[in-house]
Amino acid sequence: MAKKFQCYNSKNRTNFFCSFKMKSFLLYILFISLSIGQLISQERLQVGTLPALTISKELKKDWQLTSKIENRLFFYDDSGLEKKTGLDYIHTDVAFIGSKKVGLSNQLSAGFQFRFGTVIEKRSIQQFNMVIDYYSFQLAHRFAADQTFAPDTPDSYRFRYRFTYNKPLSGNEINAKEFYFKAGIESLFILEENTQDLEFRGTPTIGYNFKSTNKIELGLDYRTDGILIQPSRQRYFVVLNYYVKL
């Protein structure tokens, strides 16, 4: 097991590296918040939910197979010509990802996703994940790209970076029958035919670890896009994620 990075020395002083990381994280959040604030007056608003089930299986030689199914439903939609209220099913995503551990805590991943809605969309996915364990919390970086193809729709190419902070709410490690807090921020650059756009996401969640093979998370997924192709769009999703390890 990799040794955890200590954020405090023997004199209980904060390590410079940890302090720099946290300051950079807070500045990043501030920048995104200020950017979002400039867009509120032109927003298109959607509110919904994203229930999801993720099942993973560890294989030989540091390989892992992950499958995920996620539904998207809206309660409120003011993004078109008319406001819509009431439960409205949008689509279902089914994804399969293969991952290979590289180094102590890094992963290279690739896979594909099918989106079943009014049409069937196909998406290829490539990812690199880096996880750093500190004394009482965990930081993760994800660099990703995906390509989406659908009938009678321009191909879409996205380049993504996600930063995640994970901390147990009691003790220094997430043990069985304990709660934890997880927060993530993500930036996306989107290319579609002759247009480019940016999207920002923020996802604070509270999780509960039943045991080493099962956990559940409940939180909010906030997304804003249309930044380069006004008007902007604001989306709020209640997220409910259940994870199972086989």
Side-chain angles (χ1 to χ4, degrees):
M1 181 180 294
K3 184 178 179 180
K4 291 191 175 183
F5 189 93
Q6 299 287 335
C7 278
Y8 299 93
N9 60 24
S10 59
K11 296 182 179 180
N12 202 32
R13 294 177 180 174
T14 305
N15 182 282
F16 172 78
F17 180 76
C18 291
S19 177
F20 176 78
K21 281 281 189 179
M22 295 310 297
K23 288 179 181 177
S24 300
F25 178 51
L26 292 174
L27 287 173
Y28 188 36
I29 291 178
L30 178 61
F31 171 76
I32 291 178
S33 300
L34 291 174
S35 300
I36 291 171
Q38 298 297 318
L39 303 172
I40 297 300
S41 61
Q42 304 182 38
E43 69 178 13
R44 294 175 291 155
L45 180 62
Q46 294 176 313
V47 181
T49 184
L50 295 171
L53 171 65
T54 301
I55 301 174
S56 60
K57 170 69 174 178
E58 291 188 358
L59 305 175
K60 296 180 179 179
K61 297 183 179 180
D62 293 327
W63 282 91
Q64 178 176 284
L65 179 62
T66 301
S67 58
K68 179 179 180 179
I69 181 169
E70 179 182 85
N71 291 316
R72 178 175 299 184
L73 305 98
F74 283 136
F75 306 133
Y76 178 87
D77 187 353
D78 190 17
S79 62
L81 298 176
E82 297 180 355
K83 293 183 181 180
K84 298 179 181 179
T85 58
L87 190 62
D88 185 18
Y89 168 80
I90 305 301
H91 59 238
T92 297
D93 291 337
V94 179
F96 301 92
I97 304 291
S99 303
K100 169 68 173 178
K101 185 177 180 181
V102 290
L104 294 176
S105 56
N106 303 328
Q107 273 190 338
L108 278 173
S109 306
F112 58 90
Q113 173 187 291
F114 295 101
R115 172 166 289 177
F116 300 96
T118 54
V119 298
I120 299 179
E121 298 182 6
K122 301 175 183 178
R123 175 175 294 169
S124 53
I125 303 168
Q126 307 84 40
Q127 298 178 169
F128 174 71
N129 295 279
M130 180 172 61
V131 178
I132 307 173
D133 285 314
Y134 295 89
Y135 180 67
S136 60
F137 63 92
Q138 183 185 79
L139 299 181
H141 305 268
R142 187 185 74 177
F143 304 87
D146 59 57
Q147 306 79 37
T148 303
F149 311 97
D152 303 318
T153 303
D155 298 341
S156 177
Y157 303 88
R158 303 190 301 177
F159 303 90
R160 314 169 61 165
Y161 168 72
R162 186 180 69 183
F163 179 89
T164 305
Y165 171 80
N166 201 344
K167 179 176 177 55
L169 295 183
S170 60
N172 297 321
E173 295 183 350
I174 302 174
N175 299 310
K177 298 181 180 181
E178 289 185 354
F179 288 93
Y180 60 92
F181 172 74
K182 183 167 74 173
I185 52 176
E186 184 172 16
S187 304
L188 296 86
F189 178 65
I190 305 165
L191 294 174
E192 188 173 301
E193 204 169 45
N194 296 322
T195 63
Q196 301 85 40
D197 196 14
L198 292 174
E199 179 176 340
F200 295 110
R201 300 179 180 183
T203 313
T205 57
I206 294 293
Y208 182 77
N209 188 33
F210 293 101
K211 51 184 179 179
S212 59
T213 56
N214 299 80
K215 62 181 180 181
I216 191 169
E217 294 176 354
L218 176 65
L220 177 68
D221 187 334
Y222 169 73
R223 305 179 182 185
T224 178
D225 60 5
I227 295 172
L228 301 181
I229 49 173
Q230 297 288 327
S232 62
R233 178 176 58 171
Q234 316 294 322
R235 291 183 289 175
Y236 297 85
F237 296 101
V238 176
V239 293
L240 179 63
N241 302 317
Y242 190 76
Y243 300 86
V244 178
K245 284 187 177 181
L246 301 178

